[in-house]
Amino acid sequence: MKITVGNKEFFKGIGAIPYEGKGSDNPLSFKYYDARKKVGKKTMEEHLRFAIAHWHSFCGTGGDPFGLPTKIFPWLVNADPIQRAKDKMDAAFEFITKIGAPFYCFHDYDIVDEAPTLAQSEKRLETIVAYAKQKQKASGVKLLWGTANLFSNPRYMNGAATNPDFNVVCHAASQVKNAIDATVELGGSNYVFWGGREGYLSLLNTNMKRELDHLARFLHMAKDYGRKIGFKGCFLIEPKPMEPSKHQYDFDSATVISFLRQYDLMEDFKLNLEVNHATLAHHTFQHELQVAVDAGVLGSMDANRGDYQNGWDTDQFPNNVYELTEALLVILESGGFKTGGVNFDAKTRRNSTDLADIFHAHIGGMDTFARALLATDAILEDGEYLEARKQRYASFDSGKGRQFEQGKLSMVELRELAHKNGEPEQISGRQEYFENILSRFV
Ligand code: XUL
Ligand code: CO
């Protein structure tokens, strides 16, 4: 990867972030993330496939429902929307190449502001996509996924693909078509659907069945269009239970999988799972991952963390090695990411106003993943954890238990066995013992 700086260097005084090892006290260095270091059969870079989110790092200026933006980004000052978009793209590629992430992700209207008319917006998008293509070529950075923002514009207040007004559905379709075109043009590995407004604020005014039928029809059309123009990558749905809608249809992994099965979409769609979305659904992240893995639909992940006290979608950068190790155990055991990767859908705090803070945030996140990756690999190599978990099910490995799994026994036979074998011996689940195995390696 080559560092790219546009006409103007935005992150002055910060060069390529080096790996210096855990003894280093240089805050602008990696202590654990060493892109080329082999962990098992793959390098850290190949395992983790880090991506930088255009929306948070280069568009998110810190505004919240109670206050104005706090961050002054020098790439957002030009009055001309195209020049401003190019400056922002320059800043993004300068950052991405300095931090050394192989991928990035965007929404259509992150990379250029939406124009007053659809025709003008399409023109703007074409211009900035051509520019992004040049930047990708010059740097070697690739697109992990593209998506369409179907939630910010007021026209989507009643939903996008699930809007009760057909005219809005057409508008959403035009945006998705254009965003798929952009993703294909830029060689993206995946295309994401996150339905922040696909849900309801009140069930009283909502025909849920009809809206879900529309969503499925919409996804089939998007998939057919993508395949027709040669998109070979993966379509991903990103579950989230709420926020901004009171109830979102893509609630969690299990709900989305059932939807995909019901509407015959399992072949082309997988899941993009986000840590803080799992928290909002009252699940652990590893639960969400495991549900997806077991259905064969784990696609990619959005990395961040919530807050234990307030429970909002705070999108903080990950810093908990133990929790990430639990997550990576599920991911690595399933064979790791294929077309997906780790996208930092995370933002610096409203009062983290230095440009260097964007580096500190990503360095911390990437180092946390690297530590968790090393721990996970060591746990799997060691084997005690896998063996101990397997042992809990040993009674199904032979004899009558095996026959039960093979469907060879009836309820009547199980009853007979219960009588014959008597009260089962108590067998400990040993949770603390399992937790301690992880602690040994973290
Ligand atoms: C919102 C969220 C989105 C999606 C892409 O919570 O996670 O940024 O990742 O639309
Ligand atoms: Co996300």
Side-chain angles (χ1 to χ4, degrees):
M1 186 188 309
K2 273 202 7 228
I3 291 194
T4 64
V5 175
N7 289 335
K8 206 166 135 209
E9 187 172 21
F10 290 108
F11 299 95
K12 279 214 182 64
I14 301 178
I17 303 300
Y19 165 73
E20 291 184 0
K22 66 177 176 183
S24 169
D25 60 4
N26 171 9
L28 291 171
S29 73
F30 292 115
K31 318 296 178 295
Y32 296 90
Y33 181 65
D34 181 3
R36 281 177 297 272
K37 184 185 168 74
K38 275 254 168 124
V39 181
K41 290 197 176 67
K42 294 194 255 181
T43 61
M44 281 192 169
E45 182 174 275
E46 289 163 345
H47 273 292
L48 297 169
R49 297 168 59 81
F50 286 128
I52 307 301
H54 207 85
W55 53 102
H56 282 310
S57 292
F58 314 109
C59 310
T61 45
D64 71 13
F66 303 93
L68 296 172
T70 51
K71 304 181 195 199
I72 300 151
F73 287 160
W75 49 85
L76 296 183
V77 294
N78 200 297
D80 173 52
I82 294 295
Q83 191 51 51
R84 191 162 66 243
K86 287 184 175 172
D87 288 348
K88 185 159 57 165
M89 193 64 78
D90 285 348
F93 274 80
E94 184 188 329
F95 177 84
I96 296 165
T97 53
K98 284 181 170 176
I99 200 85
F103 295 101
Y104 72 117
C105 300
F106 64 75
H107 301 83
D108 46 1
Y109 298 140
D110 301 332
I111 54 175
V112 68
D113 291 352
E114 187 171 6
T117 70
L118 181 57
Q120 289 167 326
S121 293
E122 287 182 343
K123 195 123 201 64
R124 282 190 187 180
L125 200 60
E126 265 172 39
T127 309
I128 199 66
V129 164
Y131 192 66
K133 197 167 177 175
Q134 286 173 27
K135 303 288 300 188
Q136 286 186 203
K137 196 156 172 241
S139 62
V141 171
K142 297 193 175 78
L143 178 64
L144 188 66
W145 51 260
T147 187
N149 179 331
L150 302 179
F151 44 90
S152 295
N153 193 298
R155 83 171 70 88
Y156 298 122
M157 68 181 185
N158 290 307
T162 61
N163 199 296
D165 177 1
F166 177 60
N167 278 331
V168 179
V169 177
C170 293
H171 217 97
S174 70
Q175 251 186 274
V176 168
K177 180 209 165 280
N178 295 336
I180 293 175
D181 286 343
T183 302
V184 170
E185 177 67 11
L186 295 173
S189 304
N190 308 274
Y191 182 86
V192 164
F193 292 88
W194 171 64
R197 307 276 177 198
E198 312 295 20
Y200 58 78
L201 300 179
S202 167
L203 196 52
L204 281 177
N205 62 8
T206 303
N207 183 334
M208 186 151 73
K209 168 82 168 70
R210 208 159 175 192
E211 292 197 2
L212 284 168
D213 285 351
H214 293 174
L215 181 58
R217 167 78 53 231
F218 189 95
L219 293 176
H220 268 286
M221 289 167 75
K223 180 259 295 175
D224 290 344
Y225 175 73
R227 295 303 181 222
K228 197 176 100 195
I229 65 162
F231 178 58
K232 303 250 173 352
C234 201
F235 291 98
L236 301 174
I237 296 198
E238 184 175 323
K240 186 176 182 182
M242 65 193 84
E243 197 206 33
S245 299
K246 175 249 173 331
H247 175 93
Q248 277 156 224
Y249 294 137
D250 299 329
F251 196 92
D252 62 358
S253 286
T255 312
V256 174
I257 289 165
S258 136
F259 170 87
L260 294 176
R261 286 205 178 109
Q262 182 179 348
Y263 289 101
D264 194 23
L265 288 160
M266 285 291 275
E267 222 170 89
D268 295 87
F269 284 78
K270 288 192 162 67
L271 304 189
N272 180 39
L273 296 172
E274 178 164 327
V275 182
N276 207 165
H277 296 181
T279 321
L280 288 177
H282 293 287
H283 296 309
T284 61
F285 183 52
Q286 49 273 28
H287 166 92
E288 287 293 85
L289 290 168
Q290 192 69 63
V291 172
V293 164
D294 293 345
V297 292
L298 175 61
S300 198
M301 74 170 277
D302 275 7
N304 55 29
R305 76 179 203 274
D307 180 285
Y308 288 119
Q309 280 73 47
N310 64 18
W312 309 322
D313 193 15
T314 58
D315 284 351
Q316 294 170 90
F317 276 80
N319 66 359
N320 188 319
V321 182
Y322 193 99
E323 281 181 4
L324 266 190
T325 302
E326 288 194 48
L328 284 179
L329 269 174
V330 181
I331 294 169
L332 257 59
E333 226 198 312
S334 79
F337 293 118
K338 308 276 180 320
T339 65
V342 175
N343 168 47
F344 283 107
D345 195 352
K347 58 188 177 209
T348 53
R349 299 303 83 195
R350 176 173 156 79
N351 57 354
S352 297
T353 47
D354 292 344
L355 295 188
D357 290 324
I358 309 173
F359 278 92
H360 295 307
H362 285 85
I363 289 169
M366 289 161 83
D367 265 345
T368 306
F369 265 92
R371 289 176 77 175
L373 175 65
L374 291 168
T376 306
D377 180 66
I379 292 163
L380 293 175
E381 272 296 301
D382 170 80
E384 182 180 344
Y385 160 71
L386 292 177
E387 185 54 30
R389 193 184 62 189
K390 184 169 179 287
Q391 273 309 315
R392 292 195 70 212
Y393 300 87
S395 63
F396 293 95
D397 289 342
S398 60
K400 295 290 180 193
R402 186 88 198 106
Q403 286 178 24
F404 163 82
E405 280 196 348
Q406 292 166 336
K408 291 182 179 160
L409 297 180
S410 68
M411 288 303 271
V412 173
E413 285 167 306
L414 293 195
R415 176 186 165 276
E416 279 163 12
L417 286 167
H419 275 283
K420 184 170 150 237
N421 296 337
E423 186 60 29
E425 264 179 48
Q426 194 177 55
I427 303 174
S428 172
R430 301 201 295 169
Q431 179 177 326
E432 299 77 8
Y433 160 80
F434 278 87
E435 287 168 349
N436 292 354
I437 299 180
L438 262 67
S439 296
R440 248 171 59 211
F441 295 93
V442 167

